[in-house]
Amino acid sequence: WEKTTRTSRDVEGTRLGIVGYGAIGSRVARTADALGMRVAALDPFLPPGPLPGPGERVDSLDALLARSEVLSLHGPLDPT
């Protein structure tokens, strides 16, 4: 296909922000990393320290949104 069209772009080099780094979020991070994306993640339920997979940990939603070009949300469907 014509890669120079306005409706397509490569994901390599773009920043993916992940909210929720559990089972699904961490798989998305590994896939994005394999595609050459830069990954940043926020998950308040993980213990302190580096992420257990690819990506940079951020401390707040504002920081994640400020540095992300694409956002992926992964959380439980709770009534709260």
Side-chain angles (χ1 to χ4, degrees):
W1 76 83
E2 185 77 29
K3 289 181 77 172
T4 59
T5 64
R6 293 182 189 186
T7 59
S8 67
R9 72 183 253 196
D10 287 334
V11 296
E12 184 177 9
T14 60
R15 172 77 69 168
L16 172 66
I18 298 176
V19 177
Y21 202 85
I24 296 172
S26 61
R27 280 190 179 205
V28 170
R30 288 194 302 271
T31 302
D33 185 58
L35 292 172
M37 297 179 84
R38 295 171 292 148
V39 177
L42 170 69
D43 192 328
F45 299 105
L46 287 178
L51 293 173
E56 166 193 7
R57 181 183 217 135
V58 294
D59 296 330
S60 72
L61 183 59
D62 287 337
L64 183 69
L65 295 175
R67 63 177 51 162
S68 300
E69 297 172 73
V70 179
L71 192 63
S72 185
L73 304 173
H74 307 276
L77 182 60
D78 289 338
T80 57

